[in-house]
Amino acid sequence: MIEPDLRDRILAEPETILEDRDLMNALVAANERAMGANIVDLRGIAMQRLETRLDRLEDTHRGVIAAAYENLAGTNQVHRAILQLLDPLDFQEFLRVLTGDVAATLRVDCVRLVLESVQDAEDPALRRLGDVLYVAEPGFVANYVAAGRNVPLRPVTLRQVMPESDALYGDRAGYIRSEALLRLDFGKGRLPGMLVFGAEDPHQFKQTHGTDLLAFFAGVFERTMRRWLS
């Protein structure tokens, strides 16, 4: 017999049993055993299926919430990086902030600014700007993004690093495993450019990731660069 005190508590608050999934499963199982092997309780089967659907819904709910938080964190990162990008008052400081504060905020291990130009890359004025600036011959950006394939060029390309990237990354090439390529349009009459983010994590930039935030960052960056180029 059930203890009188426990019985009184159950009768006083029966909803506590209904809200306890493990307890309800035990009661349903006990009821099925009491009915015998020749009787199938459809209510128990229905309850199991409903529990399975509930578990799937809870997993989906948790996944949606996690994705929302991740997207919000990414948006805040990009916004902070853009504010840092707008602070410098001269071009050399702009490049320093790009490789320092902005790279740290976006959590990337290497930044390269590629400018197509007919000017000699060994020009002393260009060398003073540091390793962040990579001066390439016209057509380099399209060839690098396409990787030798005849494919349409997207504004932002995420991928694992190709073997041809040694020249671009220099002594960091052996560590970079994934990259984000942001094509830049500097306006009519100017050759295109590209902003490259390199990461040691091979999964940081994958083709399945969204590119909206990086596309927005690229839009702000190329407008800022137009000011310096003019």
Side-chain angles (χ1 to χ4, degrees), residues 90-100 113 129 132-133:
D90 63 76
F91 190 58
Q92 285 184 307
E93 178 67 11
F94 174 77
L95 294 181
R96 189 198 67 76
V97 169
L98 178 64
T99 57
L113 173 59
L129 297 177
V132 61
L133 185 62

Side-chain angles (χ1 to χ4, degrees), residues 7-230:
R7 182 175 183 275
D8 291 340
R9 290 177 57 188
I10 293 175
L11 292 176
E13 300 180 14
E15 63 275 2
T16 57
I17 295 180
L18 298 175
E19 294 173 357
D20 191 316
R21 183 185 302 181
D22 293 335
L23 185 55
M24 288 300 299
N25 286 335
L27 292 174
V28 171
N31 183 57
E32 290 178 350
R33 289 193 299 270
M35 291 188 298
N38 295 328
I39 299 176
V40 178
D41 186 3
L42 297 179
R43 293 174 300 176
I45 297 175
M47 181 179 292
Q48 291 177 353
R49 292 182 177 179
L50 287 174
E51 287 180 353
T52 302
R53 292 182 60 186
L54 179 60
D55 289 339
R56 288 199 299 264
L57 287 173
E58 288 179 346
D59 290 340
T60 302
H61 183 64
R62 284 192 292 267
V64 169
I65 292 177
Y69 275 116
E70 184 177 353
N71 188 50
L72 180 61
T75 301
N76 291 336
Q77 271 186 314
V78 171
H79 286 174
R80 289 198 305 272
I82 288 174
L83 291 177
Q84 293 166 341
L85 202 65
L86 298 176
D87 281 339
L89 299 178
D90 63 76
F91 190 58
Q92 285 184 307
E93 178 67 11
F94 174 77
L95 294 181
R96 189 198 67 76
V97 169
L98 178 64
T99 57
D101 297 341
V102 172
T105 298
L106 297 180
R107 299 177 183 175
V108 295
D109 300 299
C110 185
V111 179
R112 290 290 185 269
L113 173 59
V114 179
L115 298 180
E116 292 187 1
S117 175
V118 294
Q119 189 174 356
D120 186 2
E122 298 299 323
D123 186 284
L126 295 177
R127 298 298 299 173
R128 285 198 300 269
L129 297 177
D131 295 335
V132 61
L133 185 62
Y134 183 86
V135 179
E137 61 183 13
F140 174 86
V141 171
N143 291 334
Y144 187 82
V145 173
R149 299 173 298 169
N150 185 18
V151 295
L153 301 181
R154 293 172 293 181
V156 177
T157 300
L158 308 179
R159 69 185 184 190
Q160 292 184 328
V161 173
M162 311 299 290
E164 294 84 359
S165 64
D166 289 7
L168 181 60
Y169 290 107
D171 57 358
R172 301 295 302 275
Y175 304 97
I176 303 301
R177 289 293 177 265
S178 63
E179 62 185 1
L181 311 177
L182 286 60
R183 295 173 57 221
L184 305 173
D185 180 7
F186 297 131
K188 186 177 181 180
R190 293 194 177 105
L191 292 172
M194 179 172 63
L195 185 61
V196 181
F197 293 140
E200 296 181 7
D201 182 358
H203 304 293
Q204 182 162 341
F205 299 116
K206 299 172 64 175
Q207 294 181 355
T208 55
H209 292 167
T211 60
D212 291 347
L213 290 175
L214 287 176
F216 176 69
F217 182 88
V220 175
F221 185 87
E222 67 184 8
R223 286 163 175 80
T224 306
M225 278 294 298
R226 289 173 191 171
R227 181 184 64 185
W228 298 118
L229 293 175
S230 62

